[in-house]
């Protein structure tokens, strides 16, 4: 394992008109690291996550995936080819799953590998079987998304992202839209990924999960990283008042 | 182009007459049809449903032909223009029946219940509570029906009513300027539809204010 | 002269042939207008302005004028400038283009209604804009607008009677040919109407089956 970061965000800033949503943020994530980003809504944590695969482009600053700059300034056509290639290495899981409702579970998973990696149907199907096995949903392979529960949908969405063999996985509030009793099955899948040393960046509201699984926690507020450190420190002995306030509100009732 | 213009204007007047008369007939048929379909009598409901199903299930052109060419066999002798107005009116009436019925059904059931608990009769409730709200809902969709009707008047060209499309066809086939003739007739149709649209918008705003 | 429907059966074969042509012309125009509608919708939403504009003008013109007028232009008008289309082809093109414009309108709103998350998810996997459009957005949009497009197809079936006016020997013209031999318009037009009604029932049943089939994949 090298020490070079797999994701390197340098001086990221973003604004909509005069509204600054990200202010000069730098973040390095090493291979196998699991980083949680917490903070109140509107703090810029989702925007930062979505800047990593350039879904929400930065106003200034750089994002690097290993030795490739993700948000390179290129003419439109070249940029398109570049970003499509980069994104194949960055898996993303959304709050609202975004499974493709017109495709069954198998085709949701195999679509991109077949189109972009040139896998044959047999290879892609094999891949779908492997990934579904991993998330424990092999028996749902022929189902359509409308026939699945929220938790199952999110597990399929994770399998879909994993099928591209990404170098890093981004989770954007993956369990926020789920009924409480369905959260655990998704958390279990994420924990399992952690044990396999998948590099993960997780935007979450679940402090308990962040504490259990992550190596590092970033607390963001109003577009800046207020405080960061190992979960023991952030959760048990935060230095900043804003962090303390936030945690007091959010740890109540949890654990 | 200038030479043919008066003929097109005269034809446009015929198209407007066709549209207005068949629209009035259509609204009457629509109101009766909707009343029948929502009536408590199952015979009336069946009659209404049959009217809608038969008219909407067959081409308007055939309906025009049955009335105009087949009429004399059953003792109905009509001029082409009259047959056109009647057939187009009955035809659009079936679509308007569904529009009006839909609007009436769409009025919240709680409204009826509230009125009935106040002691209003079924008829009173309909007249003073359901209908005013339904009218508001039906203006726009009826506008869509009327838009289709105006374009639909073209098919009486097939029974030689000298309206816009009939006139345009004559010149499309005989002058060497088919596109100009098409655009001229097309522009007149669109003008008629545009003005009708303004009327519908005005009506929509007026009923919405209440 | 009273009514006598016994004049109809001797012409049953001719009417049936006409009905088959009606089905053929409706099906051809339906296919043309379905794929044409998708193409037009994508152009109207995503093409650069100088391509969009002529298409918009065309759509505006075809929506604001009667189908019969359009058929006359395509059949009698194009001959004037040296394009002599067979009546069947002119009929399919006229009906097809007319309903292309209407279908395009519906498909455009269907595309706009597809959740942006779908596009994001596709792009996140590495799909290009075109790939996302082709594999994710358009298929979903089309599924969501099948019911209104089905209604257009039902209207198309009935409008196919208009091509009798330019001489396509479909159901309406077949009944007219029988009338010219028997002078019995009422009986034959009613017979034709009955045939249309039956075809219409079949079409509606077929559309309902399709709607049920795509229900879970939405």
């Amino acid at each position: 394992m090298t020490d070079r970061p797999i994701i390197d965000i340098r001086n990221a800033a973003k604004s909509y008109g005069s509204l600054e949503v990200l202010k000069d943020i730098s973040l390095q994530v090493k291979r196998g690291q699991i980083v949680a980003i917490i903070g109140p809504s509107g703090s810029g944590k989702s925007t930062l996550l979505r800047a990593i695969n350039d879904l929400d482009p930065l106003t200034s600053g750089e994002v690097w995936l290993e030795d490739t700059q993700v948000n390179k300034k290129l003419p439109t056509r070249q940029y398109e080819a570049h970003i499509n290639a980069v994104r194949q290495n960055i898996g993303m899981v959304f709050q609202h799953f975004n499974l493709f409702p017109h495709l069954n579970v198998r085709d949701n998973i195999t679509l991109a590998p077949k189109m972009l990696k040139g896998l044959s149907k047999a290879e892609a199907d094999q891949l779908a079987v492997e990934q579904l096995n991993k998330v424990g949903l092999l028996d749902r392979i022929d189902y359509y998304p409308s026939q699945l529960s929220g938790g199952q949908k999110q597990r399929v969405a994770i399998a879909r992202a994993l099928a591209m063999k990404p170098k890093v996985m981004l989770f954007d509030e993956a369990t926020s839209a789920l009924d409480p009793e369905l959260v655990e099955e998704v958390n279990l899948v994420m924990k399992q990924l952690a044990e396999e040393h998948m590099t993960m960046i997780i935007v979450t509201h679940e402090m308990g999960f962040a504490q259990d699984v992550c190596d590092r926690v970033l607390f963001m507020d109003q577009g800046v990283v207020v405080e960061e450190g190992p979960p023991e420190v952030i959760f048990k002995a935060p230095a900043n008042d804003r962090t303390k306030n936030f945690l007091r509100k959010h740890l109540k009732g949890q654990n | 182009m200038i030479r043919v213009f008066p003929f097109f204007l005269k034809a446009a007047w015929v198209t407007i007459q066709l549209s207005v008369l068949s629209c009035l007939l259509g609204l009457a048929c629509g109101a009766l049809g909707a009343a029948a379909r929502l009536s408590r009598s199952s015979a009336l409901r069946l009659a209404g449903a049959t009217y809608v199903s038969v008219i909407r299930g067959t081409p308007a052109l055939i309906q025009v032909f049955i009335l105009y060419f087949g009429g004399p066999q059953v003792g109905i002798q009509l001029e082409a223009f009259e047959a056109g107005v009647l057939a187009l009116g009955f035809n659009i009436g079936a679509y308007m029946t569904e529009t009006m019925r839909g609007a009436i059904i769409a009025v919240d059931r709680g409204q009826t219940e509230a009125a009935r608990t106040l002691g209003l009769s079924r008829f009173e409730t309909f007249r003073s509570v359901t209908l005013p709200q339904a009218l508001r809902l039906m203006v726009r969709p009826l506008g869509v029906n009327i838009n289709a009707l105006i374009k639909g008047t073209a098919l009486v060209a097939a029974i030689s009513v000298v309206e816009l499309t009939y006139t345009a066809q004559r010149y499309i086939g005989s002058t060497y300027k088919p596109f100009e003739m098409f655009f001229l007739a097309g522009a007149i149709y669109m003008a008629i539809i545009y003005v009708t649209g303004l009327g519908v918008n005005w009506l929509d705003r007026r009923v919405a204010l209440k | 002269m009273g009514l006598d429907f016994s004049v109809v059966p001797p012409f049953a074969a001719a009417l049936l042939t006409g009905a088959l042509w009606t089905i053929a012309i409706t099906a051809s125009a339906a296919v043309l207008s379905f794929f044409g509608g998708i193409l037009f919708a994508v152009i109207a939403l995503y093409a650069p302005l100088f391509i969009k504009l002529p298409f918009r003008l065309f759509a505006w013109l075809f929506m604001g004028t009667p189908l019969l007028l359009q058929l006359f232009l395509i059949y009698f008008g194009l001959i004037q400038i040296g394009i002599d289309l067979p009546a069947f082809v002119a009929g399919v093109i006229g009906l097809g283009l007319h309903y292309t414009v209407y279908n395009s309108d519906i498909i455009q709103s269907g595309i706009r209604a597809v959740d942006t998350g779908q596009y994001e998810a596709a792009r996140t996997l590495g799909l290009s804009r075109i790939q996302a459009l082709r594999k994710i957005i358009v298929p979903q949009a089309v599924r969501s607008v099948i019911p209104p497009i089905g209604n257009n197809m039902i209207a198309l079936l009935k409008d196919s009677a208009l091509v009798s006016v330019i001489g396509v020997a479909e159901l309406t013209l077949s009944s007219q040919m029988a009338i010219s031999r028997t002078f019995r318009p009422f009986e034959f037009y009613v017979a034709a109407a009955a045939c249309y009604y039956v075809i219409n029932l079949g079409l509606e049943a077929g559309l309902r089956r399709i709607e049920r089939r795509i229900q879970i994949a939405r």
Side-chain angles (χ1 to χ4, degrees):
Chain A
M1 222 189 273
T2 59
D3 247 14
R4 190 182 52 156
I6 189 162
I7 291 286
D8 189 358
I9 301 172
R10 301 173 191 166
N11 309 103
K14 184 175 178 68
S15 49
Y16 298 104
S18 61
L19 179 71
E20 287 182 88
V21 285
L22 296 177
K23 299 171 195 163
D24 193 29
I25 293 182
S26 293
L27 168 67
Q28 275 135 30
V29 180
K30 294 201 188 88
R31 192 181 299 279
Q33 241 183 6
I34 298 161
V35 179
I37 308 177
I38 61 171
S41 52
S43 60
K45 54 193 195 302
S46 278
T47 311
L48 179 65
L49 193 75
R50 289 160 61 90
I52 294 174
N53 59 3
D54 215 31
L55 219 47
D56 272 347
L58 293 173
T59 311
S60 67
E62 293 175 1
V63 179
W64 289 76
L65 171 73
E66 295 180 321
D67 40 20
T68 312
Q69 187 183 348
V70 176
N71 61 343
K72 232 190 290 192
K73 293 276 171 288
L74 287 169
T76 311
R77 190 163 296 181
Q78 284 171 42
Y79 167 79
E80 278 292 311
H82 154 79
I83 198 69
N84 294 337
V86 169
R87 282 176 179 161
Q88 294 180 35
N89 296 310
I90 308 177
M92 185 160 196
V93 175
F94 300 86
Q95 182 178 0
H96 295 288
F97 332 127
N98 296 349
L99 286 182
F100 306 132
H102 64 301
L103 302 177
N104 65 21
V105 167
R106 182 202 319 270
D107 292 340
N108 259 281
I109 296 172
T110 58
L111 176 83
K114 277 194 292 194
M115 283 185 83
L116 305 175
K117 295 195 161 172
L119 262 60
S120 71
K121 191 172 161 12
E123 290 166 333
D125 284 352
Q126 182 54 38
L127 185 64
V129 168
E130 280 165 25
Q131 298 307 327
L132 282 173
N133 226 342
K134 202 175 224 173
V135 300
L137 285 172
L138 191 52
D139 55 331
R140 295 291 189 270
I141 191 161
D142 289 317
Y143 283 48
Y144 280 89
S146 65
Q147 299 168 306
L148 302 177
S149 72
Q152 291 171 335
K153 281 183 196 170
Q154 196 59 298
R155 283 149 70 194
V156 171
I158 293 172
R160 177 174 74 179
L162 289 175
M164 292 302 283
K165 311 278 182 205
K167 292 177 178 161
V168 51
M169 287 282 284
L170 313 177
F171 291 84
D172 191 3
E173 304 198 12
T175 54
S176 299
L178 295 175
D179 293 337
E181 70 272 20
L182 300 177
V183 168
E184 199 44 40
E185 57 182 277
V186 175
N187 282 347
L188 275 174
V189 170
M190 290 169 69
K191 277 181 189 158
Q192 186 189 321
L193 283 180
E195 278 156 23
E196 294 167 14
H197 304 292
M198 169 62 81
T199 313
M200 298 197 269
I201 306 177
I202 302 167
V203 167
T204 184
H205 277 133
E206 281 193 76
M207 302 309 143
F209 181 77
Q211 206 168 345
D212 286 354
V213 175
C214 298
D215 308 315
R216 269 167 82 194
V217 178
L218 270 70
F219 171 68
M220 278 183 72
D221 193 14
Q222 291 171 7
V224 293
V225 176
V226 176
E227 193 169 350
E228 73 154 295
E232 310 84 78
V233 176
I234 297 288
F235 288 109
K236 298 285 185 277
N240 190 290
D241 283 344
R242 277 199 277 177
T243 319
K244 283 179 199 161
N245 261 324
F246 174 81
L247 289 175
R248 199 161 45 236
K249 278 184 217 151
H250 279 80
L251 287 176
K252 225 183 278 168
Q254 287 200 19
N255 295 0
Chain B
M1 195 85 164
I2 291 167
R3 201 174 49 80
V4 303
F5 201 64
F7 296 105
F8 274 83
L9 278 188
K10 223 172 117 190
W13 177 234
V14 177
T15 290
I16 292 170
Q17 286 175 306
L18 275 169
S19 302
V20 171
L21 293 175
S22 51
C23 175
L24 293 176
L25 178 60
L27 288 169
C29 290
L32 285 177
R37 291 212 60 181
L38 294 167
S39 126
R40 267 183 296 189
S41 142
S42 60
L44 280 178
R45 280 204 306 273
L46 183 67
T50 309
Y51 167 57
V52 168
S53 167
V54 168
I55 296 288
R56 299 209 311 175
T58 57
L61 185 66
I62 296 276
Q63 293 158 18
V64 171
F65 285 165
I66 291 178
L67 193 60
Y68 182 61
F69 294 118
Q73 282 176 270
V74 291
I76 306 170
Q77 201 96 37
L78 294 167
E79 295 293 319
F81 180 85
E82 297 163 352
V85 168
L86 286 181
L88 290 172
F90 282 134
N91 180 271
I92 205 67
Y95 293 87
M96 288 176 163
T97 295
E98 288 306 88
T99 304
M100 294 181 184
R101 187 178 79 106
I104 291 166
I105 291 175
V107 176
D108 185 31
R109 241 188 67 196
Q111 294 288 315
T112 320
E113 284 171 0
R116 293 306 294 276
T117 48
L118 289 171
L120 270 67
S121 71
R122 211 177 110 92
F123 176 73
E124 271 297 320
T125 302
F126 179 76
R127 196 176 62 106
S128 52
V129 177
T130 311
L131 190 59
Q133 297 184 56
L135 282 177
R136 227 175 276 181
L137 295 175
M138 66 177 73
V139 172
R140 293 215 155 267
L142 282 178
V144 174
N145 290 147
I146 293 170
N147 182 321
L149 168 65
I150 294 169
K151 285 177 275 181
T153 59
L155 57 84
V156 299
I159 54 170
S160 305
V161 177
V162 188
E163 43 68 80
L164 255 180
T165 296
Y166 185 87
T167 306
Q169 187 231 338
R170 230 169 55 198
Y171 292 110
I172 283 176
S174 65
T175 62
Y176 287 88
K177 295 190 170 99
F179 289 97
E180 285 89 333
M181 297 302 134
F182 172 78
F183 285 126
L184 182 53
I188 298 175
Y189 273 113
M190 285 197 272
I192 297 173
I193 287 169
Y194 179 72
V195 171
T196 312
L198 291 181
V200 169
N201 285 344
W202 174 81
L203 201 62
D204 190 48
R205 270 198 310 276
R206 268 204 55 154
V207 291
L209 281 180
K210 281 192 270 182
Chain C
M1 171 157 88
L3 297 182
D4 177 10
F5 280 91
S6 69
V7 297
V8 175
F11 291 90
L15 290 183
L16 190 66
T17 310
L20 290 178
W21 278 107
T22 285
I23 292 170
I25 199 162
T26 303
S28 314
V31 170
L32 177 63
S33 70
F34 180 74
F35 291 105
I38 293 173
L39 184 69
F40 266 50
V42 169
I43 287 172
L45 290 174
Y46 303 107
L49 199 63
F50 70 95
I51 298 177
K52 241 187 237 182
L53 276 181
F55 274 88
R56 275 208 199 132
L57 184 71
F58 179 83
W60 183 66
L61 208 59
F62 262 54
M63 277 194 136
T65 56
L67 171 60
L68 191 59
L69 187 64
Q70 294 157 19
L71 286 171
F72 285 150
L73 178 74
I74 290 168
Y75 189 61
F76 298 117
L78 292 184
I79 289 183
Q80 301 282 329
I81 58 167
I83 303 171
D84 189 359
L85 295 173
F88 182 84
V89 176
V92 169
I93 292 176
L95 283 170
L97 283 182
H98 187 79
Y99 279 96
T100 287
V101 170
Y102 282 91
N103 284 346
S104 151
D105 221 42
I106 293 171
I107 293 168
Q108 278 179 54
S109 51
I111 289 176
R112 282 199 215 95
V114 174
D115 185 45
T116 49
Q118 290 292 314
Y119 182 72
E120 284 183 354
R123 295 306 305 275
T124 303
L125 287 169
L127 269 66
S128 70
R129 281 180 53 151
I130 306 261
Q131 286 170 327
L133 205 58
R134 195 162 59 88
K135 289 284 182 183
I136 306 301
I137 306 298
V138 168
Q140 284 182 46
V142 167
R143 274 174 179 74
S144 72
V145 297
I146 288 288
I149 286 186
N151 288 341
N152 277 356
M153 297 304 99
I154 287 168
L156 167 61
L157 165 65
K158 287 173 286 169
D159 274 346
S160 72
L162 289 177
V163 300
S164 65
V165 177
I166 59 168
V168 181
E170 41 64 84
L171 187 48
T172 304
L173 194 58
S174 305
S175 56
Q176 281 166 346
M177 291 191 281
I179 290 163
S180 67
R181 303 213 355 229
T182 59
F183 305 105
R184 290 282 183 172
F186 194 95
E187 289 86 341
F188 278 101
Y189 283 133
V190 169
C195 292
Y196 277 111
Y197 192 78
V198 170
I199 299 171
N200 193 35
L201 286 182
L203 179 58
E204 282 180 357
L207 287 168
R208 268 198 302 275
R209 266 188 64 170
I210 293 174
E211 278 171 37
R212 262 204 312 275
R213 272 256 287 284
I214 58 170
Q215 202 56 51
I216 54 165
R218 283 188 57 181

